[in-house]
Every structure is written in C-alpha cells, then in structure tokens.
Amino acid sequence: MKRFIIKSSCVILLAFFSLLVKNRSIIQMVCMAFHYDTFNVFHWKDIRFTDAEPNKNFIKTRYILEVPQKFNAFVFGSSRIGYIPPDGLPKVLDGTDLHWYNMTCSEGIPVEHYMTLQTFLNNGVHVEMVVVGFDNISMYTSLDKHKHQLLRRPYQVYEDSKWTFFKPYLKFVGAESIMAQVDSYTPEEHAEKKQFFYDFGTDPLVADFGLTEDPQMDRYEAGFTGFPQKDSYKDLEKIVHLCRENGIKLVLFTSPLYQSIYRNSVADGYLSFLKDVAQECEFYNFSTLNNFSQNPKYYFEANHYRPALGIRIEKVMFGTDAEREEVRRESGDDLFGAKVGAENVDYVIGRLLEQF
C-alpha cells in the first residue's frame, strides 16, 4: 500500500509538472503575441509602425468610438482611397464645420463600410458627411474572406465576441524581422506619422503631390481578378439608404484604376458591375482610359494612385467649375469624373467601351 501511494504521488506530481510546463509555454506564447502584436490590435491606442500593416478596420473603428465627438465626416474605401488628401475635402457643410477622418483599410469593401457606419450611429458618433470610394475590389472580395484574415478582420467580429476576435491573434507571434523591429522600436522616430494617423487616419505621404520618377514597369502589371461577388452592388445601395435615413450627405466615386487593372477588370465584368450600382446610386466615375490612368507616374504601382491624382479627384467632386474643367482638360477625357446614374449609365458605358 505504501509503495502504491508513493507511485501514485509520483504520477500525480509528474502530471502536475507537465501541466505546469505546458501552461507556462502557452502563457509565454500569449505574452509574446501580445507584446509583438503584429497587427496592432492590442496597441490600437498607441500604434507602432513596422513593415507589417496593422488591422486598420479594427483600430480605426475602435479609435473613433473612443472619441465620438472628435470627427463628424469620414472617408471610406480600400487602401487606394488612403491617398485622398485632407486638403481637398469640404471644410463646411450647410454651416457646420467638418472634421475629417480617413477610415480606409486594406481591401476595404462596401459591406464593411456599411457595417462601420451602422456601428458609429449605434454608438453615438455624429456623422454629417461620408465619402466612399469603390472599384473592382468590390467585385471579388467577400466579407467572409476578411473575417478569417488577421490583417483585415472587421471590428464587428470583436463587437459580437471579444474572445472570438482576439483568440487567433493570441496564437500569432509573427515574423522574426517584425519582432526585431518591435524590440528596437523608437517612438520618437515615428511621432509625426503617429500624430497624422490619429489626426486623419493616413500617412504624411498623403500630402506629397509629387509624381513617381522612373517607374519600374514590372510593378504596373496586373492579372485578372474575376467577378464572384455578383450582388456586391447591393451593399452600396445599403449605404445610400442608411445615409438618407440619417440625414448624412453622401458622395460616391470610383477609383481611377491604372490601365492594366482597368482593362482586365472590364474584361471581368467591371462595367456590368457599375451599371448595377448606377440603378440606385449616383456616383462620380474616374474609371476610364485617360491621360492619368495611362501614365504610371501618377501611381506608386498598379494598385495605388498617388496623392497628386487624389487631389485632382477632389477638385472634380468638390472644386469650382474652373478647377473641374482644368482637371478634365489634363485628363484628355470629358468622361473623367462624370456623374453617373440610372438615367445616363448606358450612354456612359457605351462611351467607355468606345475608348477601347
């Protein structure tokens, strides 16, 4: 009996020790994931800039809910729309001063913008005006796909269940190169970038109106994306109805897609998508073949136009008649920034097809 007790005690102690070691390993992993925080979901109040892109959908939404009175006007879209400068946005609407924040995030799609707006309105954020940029990304990107990507996981997953949202981040430590950048991080070196992020939601680069010198043309190639999200235009309709119901001024526009992406997207059905959008939504269309979209100097690479083109978009949408005409002359295309709706969409699409 004595021998049995001793053996049993040893087994119990061994099991306890194994469990302790195992749990210690888990605790260490969780602490590392929290500390290095590749996507900045744990450091949303004090964002760190490394080579890894943060989850801007979550960070920006949570930040706005923390300061609901600070901003009353918002820009939504994918990372392309992150190059819309603050300079060219309206300063006043019907006597009310506008305070802008750029909510753009990686591959941002209309259904996510709709969800975020709903979250704002449900949590006391007063919204006067909204600008939404969209393009071919809406055609091929699904919300379900983003829910499973740590870079793009929407805030509403956190809203539904904090544990469900954070669990995969607590198991993710990330690349050694990112860990090294966090270990050697000097906040002072990124002070301006951090301030700009919390003041407007983008990088100070958005104020650089220069053009790309000596473009590397292999960065301007593009493949075909497909068009699986056949009903994605309905998410833009939801935004229109939500803004109308809440007295929010809404402006919609399409990106000036670089020609390689634009041509392939049209082959995939982009113009059919725009026709569906136009039935319920009026928008400014910058997706054409023009002097800008065929000149790589107005783009960082195929996917992102430069602020120099972003400011021209703003002049068409918010500028004077003279500014609007000047930009259209530069573009060499009278359809650049044309307003499109149900009554003229067939004419515009016919003209766009003629450009090919």
Side-chain angles (χ1 to χ4, degrees):
M1 174 63 79
K2 185 177 179 181
R3 185 178 295 176
F4 173 77
I5 292 172
I6 292 172
K7 280 186 176 181
S8 298
S9 299
C10 288
V11 169
I12 292 171
L13 283 171
L14 185 62
F16 177 76
F17 179 74
S18 299
L19 189 63
L20 187 65
V21 170
K22 183 179 178 181
N23 284 344
R24 184 178 178 185
S25 176
I26 292 172
I27 291 170
Q28 285 177 330
M29 181 188 72
V30 168
C31 288
M32 284 182 67
F34 180 87
H35 172 68
Y36 289 110
D37 192 14
T38 300
F39 303 100
N40 276 272
V41 294
F42 301 113
H43 294 78
W44 61 273
K45 270 188 175 181
D46 188 20
I47 191 170
R48 300 172 305 193
F49 299 96
T50 66
D51 290 342
E53 185 176 354
N55 180 345
K56 292 177 182 175
N57 183 306
F58 172 79
I59 295 167
K60 292 182 179 183
T61 304
R62 189 153 186 202
Y63 170 59
I64 295 301
L65 295 181
E66 185 83 358
V67 291
Q69 307 305 318
K70 187 172 182 179
F71 305 98
N72 62 359
F74 300 92
V75 178
F76 287 95
S78 69
S79 57
R80 293 169 183 166
I81 318 304
Y83 296 103
I84 290 290
D87 311 54
L89 293 168
K91 304 296 186 290
V92 179
L93 177 67
D94 298 331
T96 299
D97 290 339
L98 296 177
H99 305 284
W100 288 93
Y101 193 79
N102 193 316
M103 292 295 298
T104 56
C105 55
S106 177
E107 277 192 6
I109 50 178
V111 63
E112 292 170 331
H113 312 329
Y114 170 76
M115 289 161 52
T116 301
L117 264 176
Q118 194 91 60
T119 295
F120 284 176
L121 295 171
N122 290 343
N123 287 274
V125 178
H126 181 69
V127 185
E128 288 283 347
M129 185 171 178
V130 167
V131 172
V132 177
F134 66 96
D135 47 55
N136 65 327
I137 290 176
S138 307
M139 294 166 41
Y140 65 81
T141 308
S142 71
L143 176 63
D144 187 62
K145 174 185 170 186
H146 280 184
K147 285 182 177 179
H148 295 88
Q149 295 177 338
L150 299 189
L151 168 60
R152 304 182 174 103
R153 207 158 217 223
Y155 173 85
Q156 287 70 29
V157 176
Y158 166 86
E159 205 170 32
D160 292 340
S161 168
K162 294 176 176 59
W163 172 244
T164 300
F165 180 84
F166 283 124
K167 183 179 177 182
Y169 292 101
L170 291 170
K171 296 191 293 184
F172 184 88
V173 175
E176 289 185 7
S177 60
I178 304 302
M179 294 165 65
Q181 288 178 32
V182 171
D183 285 335
S184 61
Y185 197 78
T186 308
E188 294 76 22
E189 292 180 8
H190 304 274
E192 181 190 4
K193 196 171 183 178
K194 178 180 172 182
Q195 187 66 48
F196 207 94
F197 181 85
Y198 289 110
D199 283 347
F200 183 62
T202 60
D203 188 284
L205 184 61
V206 76
D208 176 5
F209 298 130
L211 302 182
T212 299
E213 297 181 9
D214 301 321
Q216 300 174 22
M217 292 313 298
D218 58 327
R219 301 182 68 201
Y220 294 81
E221 297 172 1
F224 291 90
T225 57
F227 187 7
Q229 307 300 319
K230 298 294 183 184
D231 291 336
S232 56
Y233 69 92
K234 293 181 180 178
D235 297 317
L236 286 162
E237 292 179 359
K238 289 179 182 177
I239 294 174
V240 169
H241 296 149
L242 182 65
C243 288
R244 190 177 296 152
E245 289 165 6
N246 289 275
I248 299 169
K249 169 76 172 176
L250 172 65
V251 176
L252 299 173
F253 73 97
T254 65
S255 297
L257 296 172
Y258 184 68
Q259 63 164 331
S260 57
I261 290 181
Y262 177 61
R263 291 176 187 275
N264 291 352
S265 296
V266 169
D268 281 341
Y270 184 53
L271 298 185
S272 296
F273 166 71
L274 293 184
K275 183 172 181 177
D276 286 337
V277 172
Q279 303 313 310
E280 293 285 334
C281 313
E282 188 176 63
F283 60 91
Y284 291 91
N285 180 50
F286 295 95
S287 297
T288 78
L289 288 175
N290 56 74
N291 293 339
F292 301 131
S293 67
Q294 297 181 98
N295 186 344
K297 291 190 174 184
Y298 284 95
Y299 296 78
F300 291 104
E301 22 66 21
N303 277 300
H304 299 93
Y305 56 83
R306 295 189 64 100
L309 189 46
I311 196 72
R312 287 168 168 83
I313 291 171
E314 291 172 322
K315 284 181 179 179
V316 171
M317 295 193 297
F318 310 119
T320 64
D321 289 341
E323 289 175 323
R324 198 171 293 117
E325 287 308 311
E326 180 189 0
V327 171
R328 287 201 173 123
R329 277 197 303 272
E330 274 188 287
S331 75
D333 179 12
D334 64 325
L335 287 178
F336 186 74
K339 261 194 176 181
V340 181
E343 71 289 342
N344 70 340
V345 65
D346 289 331
Y347 167 77
V348 171
I349 287 178
R351 290 278 313 280
L352 293 176
L353 289 171
E354 286 175 9
Q355 290 181 348
F356 287 92

